[in-house]
């Protein structure tokens, strides 16, 4: 999975461009490496990204990863991220932080660096 063709430095650059002050941004990555952004529905969007799974429907069979930004923080996994990622074990998960893009994978009950 970590050697998948869609996961490359161009994608990391495209994700880094989404990092901006303000609300957390996020969405999914498709099997051709394209980045889809969803509307963040969190009550506290400065600190959390919450998405309506209905936004996934058009892309259902093409999603290979999730992504979201940490506008004022590093790409370190939060407790919320850990819980969310474990709900989507087949995907990789990218966090875009002030220190760059970090990739995570779900292995059994754990979330590990990918
Ligand atoms: Zn996060």
């Amino acid at each position: 999975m970590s050697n998948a063709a869609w996961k490359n430095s161009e994608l990391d650059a495209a994700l880094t461009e989404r990092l901006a002050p303000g609300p957390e941004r996020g969405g999914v990555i498709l099997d051709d490496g394209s980045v889809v952004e969803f509307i963040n529905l969190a009550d506290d969007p400065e600190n959390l990204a919450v998405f309506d799974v209905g936004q996934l429907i058009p892309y259902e069979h093409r999603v290979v990863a999730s992504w979201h930004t940490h506008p004022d923080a590093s790409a370190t996994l939060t407790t919320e991220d850990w819980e969310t990622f474990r709900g989507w074990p087949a995907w990789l998960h990218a966090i875009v932080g002030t220190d760059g893009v970090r990739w995570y994978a779900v292995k059994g009950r754990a979330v590990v660096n990918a």
Side-chain angles (χ1 to χ4, degrees):
M1 196 76 170
S2 58
N3 292 320
W6 55 266
K7 185 173 173 288
N8 54 38
S9 58
E10 275 178 44
L11 175 58
D12 280 16
L15 290 172
T16 301
E17 284 175 16
R18 309 285 175 130
L19 185 67
E24 287 194 13
R25 300 168 69 179
V28 293
I29 297 160
L30 306 184
D31 51 9
D32 63 355
S34 51
V35 178
V36 178
E37 183 163 355
F38 291 158
I39 298 164
N40 185 353
L41 300 172
D43 293 334
D44 180 19
E46 309 287 323
N47 293 303
L48 197 63
V50 173
F51 304 107
D52 176 356
V53 290
Q55 293 178 98
L56 278 173
I57 290 168
Y59 311 105
E60 214 173 355
H61 301 294
R62 299 187 52 209
V63 176
V64 290
S66 79
W67 67 275
H68 73 279
T69 62
H70 286 176
D72 299 310
S74 74
T76 306
L77 196 66
T78 67
T79 305
E80 289 84 1
D81 293 333
W82 181 82
E83 284 175 7
T84 303
F85 293 176
R86 287 178 5 137
W88 304 95
W91 300 353
L92 292 186
H93 302 277
I95 299 178
V96 188
T98 51
D99 57 348
V101 180
R102 282 193 224 169
W103 290 89
Y104 299 91
V106 180
K107 290 256 165 69
R109 298 182 61 79
V111 176
V112 299
N113 291 303

